Amino acid sequence: MPYNLHNRNFLTLKDFSNQEIAFLLKMAGELKSAKYAGTEQPRLSGKHIALIFEKDSTRTRIGFEIAAADQGMHATYLGPSGTHLGHKETAKDTARVLDRIYDAIEYRGFSQTTVQTLADYASVPVYNGLTDEFHPTQILADFLTMQEHTGRRLPEISFCFVGDTGSNMGDSLLIGAAKMGMDVRLLGPKDTWPEQDVMDYARGLAEQSGARITLTDDIGEGVKGVDFIYTDVWLSMGDPESEWERRINLMKPYQVDSAMMGRTGNPATKFLHCLPAFHNAETEIGANIKKQFGLDAMEVTEEVFESDVSVVFDQAENRMHTIKAVLVATIGT
Ligand code: CP
Ligand code: NVA
């Protein structure tokens, strides 16, 4: 059934009902098929979107830029330097300027309050491209990938998010899964568990949707039988670098390796990661970590990352198709 999402913000998954999320996923699948078939119809011609990035990005940036281009829309990238936002001009003023020129605004940065302020002061839709608190567009890509790789509906899918359970990714996956009635396990050291208010919110959603929520530091309990093991970096953008040592010590037992994949007891378990991932020491940060702490990889081993069960690049591709669905649903003609 179609839903009218015209002119809606997308600041957190809390903004949408489970039917609306299902509608966006269905639309993303259709847009993906149309692109593959060469039959995509531009529904955003002549429109403009401002893409604000206070933090780095590969997937979210290209997701918005290519989704916009495919649909006939122009995008302006406003990077971490070169605009006045934050240091010389408030979010409130920036919102009112962009509102006069653009049809939509995407924001990636630190504070959820900033994206909320942009939404409060712009009349055009504002999308959260990741804040310290939430990463809602990522979850759409994750759920589309899970559906594609199982051929099942979300309430029939189980996954375990391992590691930094109370992060922007952990909280967003929890809320999304609770909303959609999934079997979601959060597995990690107690120090990283989500705040009580997030757990209460998710449990409230689960009562309505029939979702099953497990929060545990026990690997066996967390991964038993799951369709997907999902992990993310142990330290997120904006977290202090001085935290690496403490985090590594805390998280090491939760590295996703072949042994953990095997412990699901489910031969069909697949591996997910929102990316970027520290699966070897071939990046600048990876090499520094290896030098300082002797680790060849962090949250996932090279073996699992490069294995056939890893579907991380399907997931990365789906960022673009799902972002496109959000754009078309909210500002498409
Ligand atoms: N997953 C994700 O948001 O990737 P980027 O940081 O590259 O945008
Ligand atoms: N938790 C990570 C997600 C990156 C897509 C971060 O915020 O850096």
Side-chain angles (χ1 to χ4, degrees), residues 56-60 108 135 138 237 274-276 319:
D56 290 339
S57 168
T58 298
R59 281 143 289 270
T60 308
R108 163 173 290 201
H135 195 7
Q138 175 72 49
M237 291 182 275
C274 53
L275 305 181
R319 293 300 311 287

Side-chain angles (χ1 to χ4, degrees), residues 55 59-60 108 130-132 135 138 164 167-169 232-233 235-238 274-276 319:
K55 290 177 177 171
R59 281 143 289 270
T60 308
R108 163 173 290 201
L130 179 146
T131 61
D132 291 346
H135 195 7
Q138 175 72 49
D164 193 3
S167 64
N168 48 10
M169 281 307 307
D232 184 18
V233 289
L235 207 61
S236 284
M237 291 182 275
C274 53
L275 305 181
R319 293 300 311 287

Side-chain angles (χ1 to χ4, degrees), residues 15 25 47 57 62 68 70 83 86 93 100 177 210-211 213 238 241-242 245 253-254 261-262 282 304 325 331:
D15 297 345
L25 293 174
K47 295 193 186 272
S57 168
I62 62 174
D70 279 350
T83 73
D93 292 353
R100 298 289 180 104
I213 296 174
E241 302 257 317
S242 55
E245 185 168 6
Y254 297 95
M261 294 302 293
E282 291 171 18
V304 170
I331 56 169

Side-chain angles (χ1 to χ4, degrees), residues 78-141:
L78 301 168
S81 66
T83 73
H84 296 299
L85 180 60
H87 52 103
K88 196 170 170 190
E89 191 161 48
T90 60
K92 189 171 158 181
D93 292 353
T94 304
R96 287 177 290 179
V97 172
L98 297 177
D99 179 69
R100 298 289 180 104
I101 314 275
Y102 289 92
D103 301 285
I105 300 166
E106 177 274 355
Y107 169 84
R108 163 173 290 201
F110 295 89
S111 157
Q112 187 71 19
T113 310
T114 306
V115 78
Q116 183 64 58
T117 303
L118 290 171
D120 289 344
Y121 287 89
S123 61
V124 297
V126 174
Y127 315 117
N128 177 359
L130 179 146
T131 61
D132 291 346
E133 277 183 58
F134 295 115
H135 195 7
T137 64
Q138 175 72 49
I139 309 311
L140 295 181

Side-chain angles (χ1 to χ4, degrees), residues 1-13:
M1 163 167 171
Y3 286 83
N4 184 353
L5 303 183
H6 199 70
N7 221 31
R8 292 272 292 275
N9 297 315
F10 195 2
L11 307 184
T12 114
L13 290 167

Side-chain angles (χ1 to χ4, degrees), residues 79-280:
S81 66
T83 73
H84 296 299
L85 180 60
H87 52 103
K88 196 170 170 190
E89 191 161 48
T90 60
K92 189 171 158 181
D93 292 353
T94 304
R96 287 177 290 179
V97 172
L98 297 177
D99 179 69
R100 298 289 180 104
I101 314 275
Y102 289 92
D103 301 285
I105 300 166
E106 177 274 355
Y107 169 84
R108 163 173 290 201
F110 295 89
S111 157
Q112 187 71 19
T113 310
T114 306
V115 78
Q116 183 64 58
T117 303
L118 290 171
D120 289 344
Y121 287 89
S123 61
V124 297
V126 174
Y127 315 117
N128 177 359
L130 179 146
T131 61
D132 291 346
E133 277 183 58
F134 295 115
H135 195 7
T137 64
Q138 175 72 49
I139 309 311
L140 295 181
D142 302 340
F143 288 178
L144 181 64
T145 312
M146 290 184 196
Q147 286 177 336
E148 288 175 343
H149 276 279
T150 57
R152 282 186 254 127
R153 294 167 53 249
L154 294 177
E156 293 151 11
I157 296 173
S158 59
F159 72 93
C160 177
F161 179 74
V162 187
D164 193 3
T165 52
S167 64
N168 48 10
M169 281 307 307
D171 286 0
S172 301
L173 282 164
L174 172 66
I175 290 170
K179 206 159 242 207
M180 303 312 286
M182 302 171 76
D183 175 349
V184 50
R185 330 265 179 90
L186 296 181
L187 166 64
K190 284 198 174 77
D191 270 28
T192 70
W193 282 6
E195 299 291 335
Q196 195 54 47
D197 61 324
V198 177
M199 289 309 300
D200 291 344
Y201 181 80
R203 290 204 165 107
L205 291 171
E207 275 171 31
Q208 306 292 314
S209 69
R212 291 125 292 159
I213 296 174
T214 307
L215 177 61
T216 182
D217 58 1
D218 181 275
I219 295 177
E221 184 188 16
V223 305
K224 188 165 183 267
V226 289
D227 297 307
F228 298 91
I229 289 185
Y230 190 143
T231 194
D232 184 18
V233 289
W234 290 342
L235 207 61
S236 284
M237 291 182 275
D239 287 343
E241 302 257 317
S242 55
E243 275 286 291
W244 270 123
E245 185 168 6
R246 198 181 74 83
R247 276 300 171 114
I248 286 170
N249 289 330
L250 208 56
M251 299 291 199
K252 237 185 330 196
Y254 297 95
Q255 181 187 59
V256 180
D257 57 11
S258 314
M260 188 190 283
M261 294 302 293
R263 283 186 74 177
T264 66
N266 174 0
T269 307
K270 298 211 159 50
F271 173 72
L272 293 166
H273 192 307
C274 53
L275 305 181
F278 292 116
H279 55 94
N280 59 35

